[in-house]
Amino acid sequence: MGCTNLVREGSKLSVMRIKTLGLLAASLLALIAAPAQAADGNPLEKTNGFYVDPNSNPAVWVRDHPGSTADKIKAAISTKAGARWFGNWSGNVKMAVDGYTYAADVADKLPILVAYNIPGRDCGGHSGGGAGSPEAYRTWISNFADGIGGKPAVVVIEPDALAQVDCLPVGERQTRLDLLKYAAEQFAAKAPNTWAYMDGGNSTWIPAATMADRLNAVGVKSIRGLAINVSNYKTTTDSANYGKAVSAALSSKYGYTKPFVIDTSRNGNGPLGSEWCNPAGRKLGATSQTGGGAEMLLWVKVPGDSDGKCGIAPNVEAGQFSPDLALRLISGT
């Protein structure tokens, strides 16, 4: 995905936000003595708005290409809050995640992160790759959660991994489920001020009852909820109806409900039939916010980043930024 990582120099201790001057001395002493451990809490209440990634692909492109096109992309995309994706391109993931969430914490903003490194990622498609083994993934996702620690954050866990489980050989499907459950457990245990959402596909992919079974199997009960429509174009209304159906199925089958978030980064015009890979005529959707038919509407996919060498970007690799894609999303053409 071409992420540029922020690395904090010096102490890697988790730093809780200092709300009053009276707490300053005690907080500094705690930092010297041991890593700070934040109490369980709502990350929205601990922050003041969502974090805008200063080193997103669109932001870097804008800085490197000043002019009228850059001005349009800056106004519509690179100054808006969205997610940073972490995967096998991220280097030391603990340092990368710690640096990113620390920068957001200093700014008193809530960062949105995506964990995207499951073995067999994207079933070998445009975004294929991922950790080299189950053991490597467990280490990686554990380090990811360690990097957040007590800092406030929102995390989307492994887009498409549950919806695509059927594409795996039968003997590997349980391993996929076990790894996703392990990921949920890591965030639940190590990141008390993080709301983690297991990816739940989109409104026309997996039936709601089936997805509820899968989510329950991977421990969604232990985390905040589920994410819907990541990197897709389904409308917010359709996505919300799907989220409600999944939650209702969790209630009827397992006795609990779960909130959900919706990726609205590119759903302003809704879908183009079944085409999902850089389709023409799509448009930016509602910017990251609370409410709006879900617990949160979030720009999870980075607008302007390609889905792969397909559609209206046949020569742009998955995860690479294209100013043409960005301008089309701005204009809806």
Side-chain angles (χ1 to χ4, degrees), residues 2-284:
C3 295
T4 301
N5 298 322
L6 297 172
V7 178
R8 173 161 55 120
E9 296 180 356
S11 171
K12 295 302 186 290
L13 301 175
S14 294
V15 181
M16 292 180 64
R17 180 167 293 94
I18 299 168
K19 293 297 187 184
T20 67
L21 291 176
L23 292 175
L24 178 57
S27 297
L28 291 175
L29 287 173
L31 285 173
I32 294 170
Q37 293 297 319
D40 292 332
N42 179 341
L44 293 172
E45 294 177 349
K46 297 176 179 294
T47 51
N48 183 26
F50 294 101
Y51 185 58
V52 177
D53 183 356
N55 292 300
S56 68
N57 285 348
V60 171
W61 190 91
V62 164
R63 285 200 296 267
D64 291 345
H65 301 83
S68 60
T69 296
D71 291 343
K72 292 178 182 178
I73 294 172
K74 180 178 181 180
I77 296 176
S78 69
T79 53
K80 308 302 182 185
R84 177 178 286 194
W85 294 55
F86 295 81
N88 49 321
W89 57 84
S90 299
N92 184 321
V93 73
K94 181 178 179 179
M95 292 178 65
V97 168
D98 177 51
Y100 190 65
T101 52
Y102 176 75
D105 201 32
V106 169
D108 197 28
K109 298 296 183 181
L110 181 59
I112 307 162
L113 299 84
V114 180
Y116 194 52
N117 200 36
I118 199 79
R121 188 179 64 212
D122 198 30
C123 289
H126 291 293
S127 297
S133 68
E135 294 74 19
Y137 183 75
R138 290 188 184 94
T139 298
W140 186 87
I141 201 69
S142 178
N143 286 335
F144 192 121
D146 283 335
I148 298 176
K151 301 188 293 295
V154 168
V155 176
V156 174
I157 301 173
E158 299 297 340
D160 299 342
L162 264 184
Q164 287 183 334
V165 72
D166 292 335
C167 81
L168 299 170
V170 174
E172 297 179 12
R173 295 176 186 176
Q174 188 59 49
T175 299
R176 167 70 62 87
L177 299 179
D178 291 343
L179 292 179
L180 292 172
K181 185 175 183 180
Y182 182 80
E185 292 169 349
Q186 292 300 295
F187 289 111
K190 296 181 175 181
N193 291 312
T194 288
W195 279 357
Y197 300 86
M198 187 69 66
D199 187 77
N202 64 62
S203 60
T204 61
W205 195 349
I206 304 295
T210 302
M211 182 53 70
D213 291 337
R214 294 184 185 184
L215 288 164
N216 184 70
V218 298
V220 74
K221 188 175 183 179
S222 69
I223 58 175
R224 183 65 183 180
L226 61 146
I228 295 168
N229 200 48
V230 173
S231 296
N232 213 289
Y233 304 85
K234 309 302 183 186
T235 66
T236 300
T237 297
D238 287 348
S239 297
N241 287 338
Y242 180 69
K244 292 173 184 176
V246 172
S247 188
L250 285 170
S251 177
S252 63
K253 290 186 171 188
Y254 304 107
Y256 63 92
T257 62
K258 281 293 175 180
F260 54 89
V261 297
I262 299 171
D263 184 356
T264 56
S265 58
R266 307 186 297 179
N267 75 344
N269 281 345
L272 182 66
S274 61
E275 179 57 55
W276 63 270
C277 199
N278 298 327
R282 303 310 91 206
K283 193 172 185 179
L284 298 172

